[in-house]
Amino acid sequence: MSTDGSMLAATYQQGGAFAIREVPIPRIGRDGLLLRVRAASICGTDLKIVRNGHRKLADGQCIVLGHEFIGTIEQVGADVTGYPVGQRVGVVPNAGCGHCDACIRGQANYCPKYTAFGIDRDGSHTLFVEIPGRFVAQGNVIPLPKRFPIARPPCWSRSPAS
């Protein structure tokens, strides 16, 4: 993190450009959280996006990659309760619209208007992530016990060679 309010991030620009860039530290709304990323993984979806793009991205749109992550709450929006600064959390990466049939059935992952970190909104391959109120309200921020080992996240995979 620099002194001017920016941080380094692994980014993808629709059309095929992967780069490490300086991006602004996100600002949160009254209903959101700012999360300091403590561990993030790279999965096949990240690689597919870098190779082929993603249907949810507009031409030229640039995002911070990463959707599998855990961290600690750095800042809490004025309207958020139940999430203290310093709380360790995991984050479910997809959030639905909250109104369609899929969302009403509790299947937000089938929502035609879903949004997801590292897919169509800035993700976790950086230092800080904004967790919008939509994710907080839908229960996508999951407190983790203090004994949870931050250095060894549960969302990793081994390469076939190991």
Side-chain angles (χ1 to χ4, degrees), residues 6-151:
S6 63
M7 58 189 178
L8 290 177
T11 64
Y12 171 76
Q13 185 169 1
Q14 183 77 333
F18 170 81
I20 303 299
R21 294 187 171 104
E22 279 202 28
V23 299
I25 295 172
R27 298 191 188 281
I28 63 167
R30 296 182 59 84
D31 60 350
L33 301 168
L34 183 66
L35 190 76
R36 179 183 290 269
V37 177
R38 296 298 185 183
S41 65
I42 298 171
C43 79
T45 301
D46 299 307
L47 299 176
K48 288 176 189 174
I49 290 171
V50 169
R51 290 183 183 136
N52 304 311
H54 196 282
R55 64 181 170 77
K56 292 187 73 69
L57 292 172
D59 286 341
Q61 182 179 353
C62 187
I63 59 160
V64 176
L65 294 165
H67 57 273
E68 295 175 347
F69 60 104
I70 58 176
T72 54
I73 296 174
E74 187 82 8
Q75 186 180 3
V76 178
D79 295 341
V80 177
T81 59
Y83 292 98
V85 169
Q87 170 72 56
R88 293 175 174 202
V89 296
V91 180
V92 177
N94 298 346
C97 70
H99 306 290
C100 69
D101 289 341
C103 288
I104 291 168
R105 286 191 313 269
Q107 297 175 311
N109 55 317
Y110 289 108
C111 175
K113 296 181 181 177
Y114 84 90
T115 184
F117 294 105
I119 304 294
D120 64 343
R121 68 172 47 253
D122 285 341
S124 62
H125 291 174
T126 189
L127 186 58
F128 294 103
V129 177
E130 173 204 6
I131 311 297
R134 178 178 182 178
F135 287 81
V136 178
Q138 291 183 23
N140 291 31
V141 182
I142 302 161
L144 300 173
K146 289 185 180 186
R147 68 182 182 281
F148 189 84
I150 285 284

